[in-house]
Amino acid sequence: MVTLIGVTMTSCKERINLEKVDENGVVFQKKPIWKVPTSSDGINPANGVIGNIFIQNALLSTFNENSASLANHLCLQNTETGECKWRWRDVIRPTEEIMLHNYQGHEVYQYQNLLLYQYGPRNYCINVETGTTVWKKTTGYSGVGLCYGLGAQYFTFGTPIELYKGIWEQFIYRGDVLTGKEEKILMPNYSRKHVGLGITPFHVGSINDVRPVVEGKDTLLLITYTELGSERNEYEAYLSLYNLTQQKWLYDRKSLWGGRKVGVLNGAVRLRGDKMYTITSNEVVCHNWRTGDRVWIKVLPSFAEIQGIFEDRYMVLYDSMSTLYCVDADTGEQIWKLPNETLSYTSSYYAGGILYYLSKGRLRARELKTTKLLWDIPSDTDGKLDGHFWVFVTGLPGKDGEKGRIFTRTGYHTYCFEAIK
């Protein structure tokens, strides 16, 4: 077992009255349950995972043995103590930086005690009990590190290496977590009618997301992808549903755009029941994924992000003009909006009616339904380079009547706070 140096612990009894509250009842200072360094030297800031990923109730994070270099490690942290259960850096390329972005935790896939991690044309399978490599391989494609699984099978996508240098033409791959064996199984029906236009003349098509769904005895693949448009720098986006078991399209090339004809498709899709949510530049679009029919569109003033879909149909959005929105996930009707909320990475966590997020380098908490501000907490290294809260915010519910826990990070430390509820 590897233990992080400098773990700060506080007992339940000692945590009483360790908050400072302003005249409006907002907590502006709070002592963490624990905080641990993100690097061995504690001097230079280190990058970290940008996502909400828990593996067997432990937090998957990163740790830098030398924070001045890119040679970081995956680190599985004990959520009770902050101690690192194991560190892993059995990478194929010695200079490779371990990267986890913010695709809602889908950069990795866990099956039983195996963890699949993807980065570019390299796949790794890690034993989550021991932190040791089960297998690793250089793939025949270059992907984006976005994968989904059904049992021992996983699904991902990328451009075959033999095409990669000259042509951007992405295919869907299916792999076996147990063995690492992969096969190319499907390609969207790219039209190819605008290939050769614009600044990317060899762009045939790019897959944005592939979501496997089990319906009865059949496996369906919900696919979103883009192609070049008719004008320079234009892209068109489509939605298709493929029955992999029966090997037939249930519907194909349904337009993802709303009022605009072209745009940029942003991030992984969100599913809620039979509804699917996507971002196309500044449009938030809801479809019935079973039929491909559009349900509603909400147009924001600038590029948009989905923060999350929560209980009672509350859906929180963010745009790049620093505004938070809450809309009805069934209708798109706006419930409230908050201006001047500059998010420090679009990461948030919701529990017990409270929305936790990072804004202007601070850890904030609001009542979701009323927007009442409850926390506005800066980090204790706020004046240092990358010393503010920024990498992620996530949490776990409480057990046996205890309050839950909130986890966040700066360039120097990972923190665990007691939640409001």
Side-chain angles (χ1 to χ4, degrees):
M1 177 182 292
V2 181
T3 303
L4 291 180
I5 300 172
V7 177
T8 300
M9 293 293 298
T10 307
S11 71
C12 293
K13 184 176 180 180
E14 291 172 331
R15 291 205 301 272
I16 298 175
N17 298 324
L18 293 180
E19 296 180 348
K20 291 187 178 180
V21 183
D22 67 15
E23 65 276 10
N24 297 315
V26 178
V27 174
F28 65 90
Q29 185 174 318
K30 185 177 179 69
K31 189 169 183 178
I33 297 173
W34 53 257
K35 75 173 185 178
V36 299
T38 58
S39 64
S40 57
D41 60 23
I43 298 173
N44 298 304
N47 291 327
V49 293
I50 306 171
N52 307 337
I53 304 170
F54 288 97
I55 304 295
Q56 295 184 346
N57 215 38
L59 179 66
L60 186 65
S61 187
T62 55
F63 183 84
N64 283 43
E65 289 289 354
N66 178 2
S67 57
S69 76
L70 298 179
N72 58 347
H73 293 66
L74 277 180
C75 170
L76 192 66
Q77 289 183 270
N78 185 310
T79 54
E80 294 296 321
T81 66
E83 293 180 343
C84 195
K85 294 182 176 182
W86 50 255
R87 296 180 197 155
W88 176 90
R89 189 180 166 73
D90 186 15
V91 292
I92 294 172
R93 296 174 58 186
T95 58
E96 184 174 327
E97 182 180 12
I98 293 173
M99 297 288 290
L100 295 174
H101 298 288
N102 193 20
Y103 291 108
Q104 306 151 39
H106 295 298
E107 303 85 353
V108 296
Y109 172 62
Q110 183 184 355
Y111 173 67
Q112 296 178 353
N113 68 329
L114 301 178
L115 180 70
L116 175 70
Y117 162 62
Q118 293 186 301
Y119 183 70
R122 294 169 293 281
N123 285 358
Y124 304 93
C125 182
I126 305 166
N127 185 311
V128 297
E129 301 290 346
T130 62
T132 56
T133 303
V134 178
W135 55 261
K136 59 182 177 180
K137 62 181 290 186
T138 299
T139 68
Y141 58 89
S142 183
V144 296
L146 181 60
C147 57
Y148 301 91
L150 291 174
Q153 292 185 340
Y154 64 89
F155 298 87
T156 188
F157 52 91
T159 297
I161 294 297
E162 64 267 21
L163 300 177
Y164 187 71
K165 291 184 179 180
I167 299 175
W168 194 264
E169 183 178 359
Q170 293 191 326
F171 292 76
I172 298 167
Y173 293 80
R174 177 173 56 193
D176 188 322
V177 177
L178 300 175
T179 64
K181 182 180 179 180
E182 293 179 323
E183 59 179 337
K184 185 166 57 178
I185 61 171
L186 185 66
M187 181 179 65
N189 289 320
Y190 302 125
S191 71
R192 305 176 189 271
K193 62 183 178 180
H194 300 308
V195 174
L197 296 177
I199 59 175
T200 53
F202 302 108
H203 185 119
V204 176
S206 295
I207 297 171
N208 181 72
D209 204 354
V210 175
R211 190 67 63 93
V213 181
V214 175
E215 283 283 284
K217 296 182 179 180
D218 291 352
T219 297
L220 312 181
L221 296 180
L222 183 64
I223 308 164
T224 58
Y225 61 98
T226 60
E227 300 178 356
L228 289 175
S230 59
E231 302 294 334
R232 182 179 175 89
N233 299 331
E234 288 184 348
Y235 289 87
E236 299 173 351
Y238 298 97
L239 170 65
S240 299
L241 184 63
Y242 186 75
N243 189 316
L244 182 61
T245 305
Q246 300 181 21
Q247 297 189 348
K248 66 178 184 180
W249 295 99
L250 300 182
Y251 60 79
D252 194 21
R253 296 182 61 85
K254 296 260 189 169
S255 176
L256 273 177
W257 295 152
R260 62 190 301 145
K261 294 182 179 179
V262 296
V264 178
L265 196 57
N266 303 333
V269 305
R270 303 272 183 142
L271 297 182
R272 173 179 172 267
D274 59 2
K275 292 183 174 58
M276 181 196 81
Y277 306 90
T278 54
I279 295 289
T280 59
S281 296
N282 66 322
E283 292 179 341
V284 184
V285 187
C286 173
H287 286 80
N288 183 316
W289 66 261
R290 298 179 189 278
T291 64
D293 296 333
R294 190 176 300 136
V295 179
W296 57 260
I297 303 168
K298 181 170 179 59
V299 180
L300 300 182
S302 61
F303 281 89
E305 293 284 349
I306 298 175
Q307 283 293 291
I309 306 167
F310 310 117
E311 64 185 25
D312 299 326
R313 305 189 307 190
Y314 278 62
M315 181 175 181
V316 179
L317 311 172
Y318 176 68
D319 74 19
S320 57
M321 294 183 70
S322 302
T323 304
L324 270 178
Y325 302 82
C326 183
V327 303
D328 186 314
D330 284 345
T331 65
E333 181 181 358
Q334 184 170 298
I335 299 171
W336 53 253
K337 76 173 183 177
L338 289 172
N340 196 30
E341 287 288 82
T342 305
L343 268 61
S344 308
Y345 284 81
T346 52
S347 173
S348 64
Y349 172 71
Y350 172 81
I354 309 298
L355 179 68
Y356 301 86
Y357 62 101
L358 305 178
S359 178
K360 301 177 182 177
R362 295 169 176 254
L363 174 58
R364 289 186 172 173
R366 291 185 185 271
E367 290 182 351
L368 181 62
K369 294 184 178 181
T370 67
T371 73
K372 180 181 179 182
L373 185 63
L374 304 175
W375 287 1
D376 190 20
I377 304 170
S379 78
D380 50 7
T381 55
D382 195 44
K384 299 176 68 175
L385 175 66
D386 290 335
H388 53 280
F389 292 128
W390 63 283
V391 183
F392 64 81
V393 60
T394 187
L396 287 173
K399 299 178 181 178
D400 302 322
E402 294 184 351
K403 292 184 178 181
R405 293 193 171 188
I406 304 299
F407 305 90
T408 188
R409 183 163 170 156
T410 69
Y412 300 90
H413 298 92
T414 301
Y415 296 75
C416 174
F417 293 98
E418 185 176 70
I420 294 171
K421 295 182 180 181

